[in-house]
């Protein structure tokens, strides 16, 4: 059976909508209308066997469902207000625990869980729709706003989540060499409990010009999406990348650079700033490269450069894929 | 394993939200704020093995997903504007066909499919979030607006969908006695292609006072919900009920009154009108009873009355259940 990538399906959806005069799928959320009553709306899913393993506690995947949606809102620079849950429950699922976790995680970001639907199913999962308003004095962040000469930034470390995915089993940490267990626990926490960068996104939304996307499917693949929407290329500096520790990656049989570039599920913001801007609006982000006038994606290591393939984590084929 | 009803889960969700000061689950959609920027938002799901059988063509269940959501909007008296799809796809699903069908069905009601998310899964299904605006000169319809003395109306026939559910197999119509095949095809079409009563809902929204709900889980169960929200009872006149044909029900081993009262998935509006109002705002609806001052639900047949159990179709337990 031919594997289909999420990007190919999104292209399909986009073509379907384009034939109807709708072209809103370039960003992390759809923007409903301009002006003071403008809303951004985003939908995400967490499905057992796809986004989390069968033994994952309901609270963990329920919170993750909220976090990945809010990360989309962060990439739009919005202020999330309302959430709507479509829950799929097996007969043994602790539905109350899921609802509490979703409502808790929403409340942490001042979001109201305002409605939902429940259905029995053969596996657990949920989809969440989140509505957001523009932040006061800001505009919606778009993927299409990058220009040659802009600097390229990452809101936080990448690659840890990929390592944490390997450590989701209960005894996985104990199987690590003792010296790697502390980092292992950190990686698992980062994978399980992504923190949407809402404050950073809102600060960026007040900037004069800024392109942004959240790194959900891997730095390289999401950078390729941002560059495609902006019609630009990018150079990523290998030395500037906030990679996970080499020893932990090696203990898990993985390459730390590969995890950082293609691992996915990092849920940090990847954004650009205009050439004159020297620093990020908040502490934490690191500058990792420069936007170029075409030429695709390039990885620069010292004096050498190589093409950076737009490969990342694909939820549809449950593995890595070309974008 | 204990079977849980959808109502018990909704009560659970409601308690969870009530502890947070949110109480919006009494109606078919959540209302976000009053005034000219008010929105109603509703979420519904169609899942293989729960709402449709494995062999159902993608176009059929995709259109049904839109229709059941729009029926919620109809029950609010709203004008639907935007839809967001979370699609779950098996490797063999014709995703383009689903997207086309969803976009087509949305366009028929002037709704824009504005965004979505796609994930691989072990079964097909989708959840749809629909946003709606109030209709010009109207207000949101609520379940809680019924008063004793109001007349009770049904927007269309009930029970046909329950018969159609039995006829979803490809050869099911041919197995019927020849005289029942025409009605059988009609029942299957009503089950497969519910028609949301948007125009009726919008006309009702312009009335001075009107309570409404859509019959999704069975007339008796949804009437019980409306009465609970309004703090009233109701008498339903057996002779006035638009039941399906007795011969077709008998050929399928079902009771036509039971199908009409408890079959579910009818997606017609059940509404009340103030005592002085003599007719429905649109042709088609039939008066089926009267709202009473408490006393629960009563079915009146000639001079006799009996209690009407709040039993209906339950998507969670895939069968009938008490409400």
């Amino acid at each position: 059976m031919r594997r289909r990538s999420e990007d190919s399906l999104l292209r399909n959806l986009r073509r379907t909508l384009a034939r109807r005069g709708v072209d809103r799928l370039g960003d992390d959320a759809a923007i409903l209308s301009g002006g003071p009553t403008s809303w951004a709306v985003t939908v995400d899913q967490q499905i057992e066997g796809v986004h989390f393993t069968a033994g994952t506690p309901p609270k963990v995947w329920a919170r993750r469902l909220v976090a990945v949606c809010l990360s989309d809102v962060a990439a739009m620079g919005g202020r999330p207000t309302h959430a709507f849950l479509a829950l799929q429950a097996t007969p043994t699922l602790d539905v109350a625990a899921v609802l509490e976790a979703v409502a808790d995680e929403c409340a942490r970001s001042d979001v109201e869980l305002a409605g939902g639907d429940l259905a029995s199913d053969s596996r657990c999962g949920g989809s969440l729709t989140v509505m957001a308003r523009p932040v006061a004095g800001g505009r919606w962040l778009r993927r299409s706003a990058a220009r040659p000469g802009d600097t390229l930034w990452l809101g936080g470390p990448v690659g840890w989540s990929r390592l944490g995915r390997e450590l989701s089993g209960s005894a996985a940490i104990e199987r690590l060499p003792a010296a790697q267990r502390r980092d292992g626990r950190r990686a698992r926490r980062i994978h399980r409990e992504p923190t949407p960068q809402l404050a950073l996104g809102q600060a960026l939304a007040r900037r004069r010009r800024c392109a942004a996307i959240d790194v959900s499917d891997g730095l390289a693949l999401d950078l390729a999406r941002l560059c495609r929407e902006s019609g630009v290329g990018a150079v990523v500096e290998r030395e500037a990348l906030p990679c996970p520790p080499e020893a932990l990656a090696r203990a898990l049989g993985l390459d730390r650079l590969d995890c950082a570039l293609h691992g996915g599920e990092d849920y940090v913001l990847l954004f650009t700033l205009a050439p004159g801007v020297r620093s990020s609006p908040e502490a934490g982000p690191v500058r990792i490269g420069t936007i170029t006038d075409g030429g695709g994606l390039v990885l620069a290591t010292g004096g050498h450069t190589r093409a950076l393939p737009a490969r990342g984590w694909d939820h549809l084929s449950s593995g890595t894929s070309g974008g």
Side-chain angles (χ1 to χ4, degrees), chain A residues 63-79:
Chain A
R63 284 181 181 163
R64 210 161 181 275
L65 174 59
V66 178
V68 301
C69 266
L70 295 186
S71 186
D72 281 335
V73 173
M76 300 298 293
R79 180 175 59 81

Side-chain angles (χ1 to χ4, degrees), chain A residues 208-282:
Chain A
R208 183 172 55 86
R209 184 169 59 74
C210 170
I213 187 172
D214 78 317
V215 181
S216 55
D217 299 329
L219 170 57
L221 183 51
D222 287 314
L223 176 58
R225 289 168 176 156
L226 184 144
C227 287
R228 190 175 58 213
E229 294 299 323
S230 293
V232 297
V235 176
V236 174
E237 305 289 342
R238 162 74 186 85
E239 302 305 326
L241 279 181
C243 291
E246 186 157 9
L248 178 61
R250 212 183 310 119
L252 293 167
L254 294 167
D255 177 78
R256 71 178 189 144
L257 180 60
D258 195 68
C259 291
L261 291 171
H262 310 294
E265 303 191 290
D266 302 294
Y267 301 110
V268 296
L269 296 190
L270 175 67
F271 60 94
T272 65
L273 293 174
V277 182
R278 292 266 170 260
S279 65
S280 157
E282 295 216 324

Side-chain angles (χ1 to χ4, degrees), chain A residues 281-323:
Chain A
E282 295 216 324
V286 291
R287 186 185 158 181
I288 63 161
T290 308
I291 296 297
T292 58
D293 186 5
L297 306 191
V298 170
L299 184 70
T301 311
H304 303 281
T305 62
R306 68 169 173 87
L308 178 58
R311 181 167 54 80
W313 171 250
D314 192 314
H315 298 297
L316 264 186
S317 59
S318 295
T320 55
S321 81

